[in-house]
């Protein structure tokens, strides 16, 4: 069967501002709200694909920001999408390749093209990606809390909701004692810690002591751009290291696995530049027997839907951070919202990302809208 290629007619960048239900604190700072772009990519027949760029307002997690995303999309990536028809979404990352890094900007647009592609083919996105599951197990990430008492209460309610794995943020001074209390209260839960790069090899004695708590893994204990020290640390730990910040591509994943820098990889679509690269990392990890799971960036519904579709791939064998919409937002921008029942999400079977866009909610949160039309980009002869 032959399919006609996608000719993109119009691209809309909606900048949204949404307040989190509760502040979310990591070793690098506190989030109270999220600003991000919802990207609409429209073809000649009026089909629309949706993407979400996951960069934050400040360059704490990575160097990208909401503003750099706009600049890179508007001035470099959008013209490349208008350049020529697209036969398959895998071509998008290839076309973006001359632009260095800026993976979150790339992934936002690429995700919208994937959604559009799946809708045109009348396939759910997860099937277009090659996923086989009809439901996925998920965990939840809990931010640093002012007191251990408050943390224990939150863990208790998340465990009762049925989340399959609890992730706790740690930082120097809020680590060993805190984890010890949680482990004592919840001896049997699957529990892990995420340091977001807050330690160095000089903390090795402390990090070794965390082996006491039978953590499923410790995520990104050392520098955001390191794989050498992580390899040295992994040799000294029983607990598997999972890399987050250090992995931006299949090449990074190959090197980290070869060096022994980690035994598990957190795949975030935005951090690796899109679904195509995420799938490549997944396929390589499947071959190598490295478990992967899908990380989160405090996404609204569209980003969450992309994460769910990605998690349908076979090697996503560990629960990810894709928690229910309602644990982040008073009202999400998709309909229905993402629902988690006893730690399980049913993958939607409708075409594309599988959720409708709640236009009313989108307009409510939208603070700026820019429309780019293909004919304005045509090379004038
Ligand atoms: O390291 O995974 C991370 C939130 C913001 C920035 C980085 C991270 C996180 C989380 C929460 O852990 C993920 C989520 O619930 O979306
Ligand atoms: Mg992390």
């Amino acid at each position: 069967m032959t399919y006609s290629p996608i000719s993109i007619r119009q691209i809309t960048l909606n900048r949204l501002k949404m307040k989190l239900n509760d502040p979310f604190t990591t070793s690098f700072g506190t989030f109270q709200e999220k600003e991000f772009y919802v990207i609409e990519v429209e073809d000649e027949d009026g089909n629309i694909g949706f993407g979400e760029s996951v960069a934050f307002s400040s360059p704490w997690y990575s160097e990208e920001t909401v503003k750099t995303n706009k600049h890179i999309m508007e001035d470099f990536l959008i013209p490349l999408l208008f350049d020529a028809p697209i036969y398959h979404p895998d071509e998008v990352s290839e076309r973006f390749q001359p632009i260095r890094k800026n993976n979150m900007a790339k992934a936002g647009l690429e995700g919208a093209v994937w959604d559009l592609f799946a809708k045109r083919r009348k396939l759910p996105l997860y099937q277009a990606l090659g996923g086989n599951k009809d439901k996925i197990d998920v965990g939840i990430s809990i931010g640093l809390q002012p007191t251990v008492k408050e943390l224990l209460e939150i863990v208790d309610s998340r465990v009762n909701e049925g989340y399959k794995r609890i992730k706790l943020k740690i930082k120097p001074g809020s680590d060993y004692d805190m984890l010890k209390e949680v482990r004592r209260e919840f001896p049997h839960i699957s529990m892990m810690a995420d340091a977001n790069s807050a330690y160095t090899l000089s903390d090795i004695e402390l990090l070794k002591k965390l082996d006491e708590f039978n953590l499923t893994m410790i995520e990104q204990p050392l520098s955001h751009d390191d794989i050498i020290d992580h390899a040295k640390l992994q040799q000294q730990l029983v607990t598997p290291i999972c890399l987050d910040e250090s992995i931006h591509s299949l090449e990074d994943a190959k090197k980290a696995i070869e060096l022994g820098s980690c035994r598990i990889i957190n795949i975030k679509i935005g951090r690796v530049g899109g679904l195509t690269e995420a799938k490549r990392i997944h396929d390589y990890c499947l071959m190598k027997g490295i478990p992967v799971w899908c990380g989160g960036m405090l996404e609204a519904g569209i980003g969450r839907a992309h994460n769910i579709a990605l998690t349908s791939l076979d090697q996503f064998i560990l629960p990810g951070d894709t928690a229910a919409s309602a644990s982040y937002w008073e009202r999400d921008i998709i309909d229905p919202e993402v629902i988690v029942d006893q730690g399980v999400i049913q993958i939607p079977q409708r075409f594309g990302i599988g959720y409708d866009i709640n236009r009313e909610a989108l307009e409510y949160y939208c603070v700026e809208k820019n429309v780019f039309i293909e004919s304005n980009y045509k090379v004038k002869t």
Side-chain angles (χ1 to χ4, degrees):
M1 197 148 150
T2 54
Y3 293 95
S4 57
I6 306 172
S7 292
I8 297 170
R9 199 187 64 81
Q10 180 173 302
I11 296 180
T12 306
L13 301 183
N14 306 278
R15 185 158 60 86
L16 271 61
K17 200 183 268 197
M18 288 171 71
K19 197 176 164 301
L20 285 160
N21 291 339
D22 301 298
F24 188 89
T25 301
T26 70
S27 62
F28 56 70
T30 298
F31 300 91
Q32 312 264 5
E33 58 176 21
K34 181 135 191 233
E35 226 180 310
F36 61 96
Y37 280 98
V38 165
I39 296 140
E40 299 178 45
V41 171
E42 189 171 337
D43 70 9
E44 286 162 327
D45 304 323
N47 300 303
I48 301 179
F50 291 89
E52 187 176 317
S53 77
V54 299
F56 298 110
S57 302
S58 311
W60 295 334
Y61 169 84
S62 79
E63 74 286 359
E64 289 185 85
T65 67
V66 181
K67 279 192 185 169
T68 70
N69 278 185
K70 166 107 187 292
H71 165 49
I72 297 294
M73 288 191 288
E74 176 171 5
D75 296 338
F76 300 103
L77 302 176
I78 289 176
L80 288 173
L81 286 182
F82 285 142
D83 222 23
I86 296 162
Y87 287 81
H88 189 278
D90 286 346
E91 293 159 30
V92 174
S93 48
E94 220 170 290
R95 203 177 289 185
F96 287 167
Q97 213 253 322
I99 309 300
R100 297 264 164 93
K101 300 190 176 179
N102 291 286
N103 282 352
M104 294 174 188
K106 292 173 178 174
L109 286 162
E110 193 243 31
V113 174
W114 266 105
D115 179 31
L116 178 58
F117 172 80
K119 283 171 173 156
R120 287 164 55 105
R121 295 269 174 112
K122 304 198 183 311
L123 283 173
L125 177 59
Y126 84 95
Q127 282 179 13
L129 288 167
N132 293 310
K133 305 170 192 162
D134 55 12
K135 55 184 191 304
I136 58 168
D137 285 352
V138 292
I140 192 162
S141 175
I142 299 174
L144 287 156
Q145 300 299 319
T147 63
V148 173
K149 183 171 171 288
E150 282 160 273
L151 178 62
L152 290 172
E153 281 168 16
I154 296 172
V155 173
D156 188 54
S157 68
R158 296 321 195 189
V159 168
N160 287 327
E161 285 167 43
Y163 281 101
K164 303 279 185 190
R165 178 228 69 198
I166 301 295
K167 167 164 136 183
L168 303 175
K169 293 289 187 180
I170 56 170
K171 67 172 185 182
S174 199
D175 40 39
Y176 181 85
D177 293 339
M178 181 264 277
L179 291 171
K180 189 178 177 130
E181 297 276 339
V182 179
R183 191 40 111 194
R184 183 161 53 202
E185 203 71 28
F186 303 93
H188 304 302
I189 62 168
S190 169
M191 174 174 141
M192 62 174 285
D194 185 1
N196 288 108
S197 307
Y199 298 89
T200 68
L201 269 188
S202 65
D203 300 306
I204 194 156
E205 290 313 316
L206 170 95
L207 294 167
K208 279 161 75 174
K209 283 210 309 178
L210 305 185
D211 278 340
E212 280 175 36
F213 305 129
N214 188 26
L215 301 174
T216 331
M217 70 194 90
I218 178 164
E219 186 177 344
Q220 196 74 33
L222 309 178
S223 181
H224 69 95
D225 55 359
D226 169 79
I227 54 170
I228 305 289
D229 287 355
H230 279 100
K232 292 181 186 158
L233 178 62
Q234 182 66 89
Q235 284 184 359
Q236 303 283 314
L237 296 185
V238 176
T239 306
I241 291 177
C242 169
L243 288 177
D244 173 353
E245 283 89 331
S246 294
I247 306 295
H248 302 96
S249 61
L250 172 59
E251 274 308 305
D252 286 351
K254 282 184 178 172
K255 286 171 186 157
I257 292 167
E258 187 177 321
L259 273 175
S261 319
C262 64
R263 295 190 192 133
I264 297 173
I265 291 180
N266 165 335
I267 301 181
K268 290 182 181 171
I269 302 166
R271 195 188 64 235
V272 304
L275 282 164
T276 295
E277 191 71 5
K279 197 167 141 55
R280 285 199 189 110
I281 296 171
H282 162 275
D283 293 351
Y284 184 78
C285 289
L286 175 65
M287 184 183 74
K288 289 285 176 181
I290 299 286
V292 303
W293 55 279
C294 182
M297 291 287 282
L298 309 174
E299 289 93 344
I302 295 167
R304 214 158 281 283
H306 281 92
N307 289 343
I308 292 167
L310 180 66
T311 306
S312 73
L313 300 178
D314 290 343
Q315 190 64 2
F316 283 84
I317 54 185
L318 295 165
D321 278 345
T322 312
S325 296
S327 62
Y328 304 81
W329 317 112
E330 189 181 299
R331 178 161 71 134
D332 205 342
I333 55 172
I334 52 166
D335 186 21
E337 300 197 346
V338 173
I339 307 219
V340 178
D341 183 19
Q342 292 306 312
V344 176
I345 297 176
Q346 301 295 329
I347 302 181
Q349 298 300 319
R350 302 187 21 230
F351 303 150
I353 58 171
Y355 298 87
D356 276 343
I357 303 310
N358 182 338
R359 281 281 176 192
E360 196 211 321
L362 192 141
E363 295 305 326
Y364 175 79
Y365 293 120
C366 187
V367 291
E368 187 197 356
K369 186 176 180 136
N370 289 277
V371 180
F372 303 89
I373 297 168
E374 185 248 10
S375 54
N376 297 345
Y377 284 82
K378 277 263 157 60
V379 183
K380 308 261 184 330
T381 49

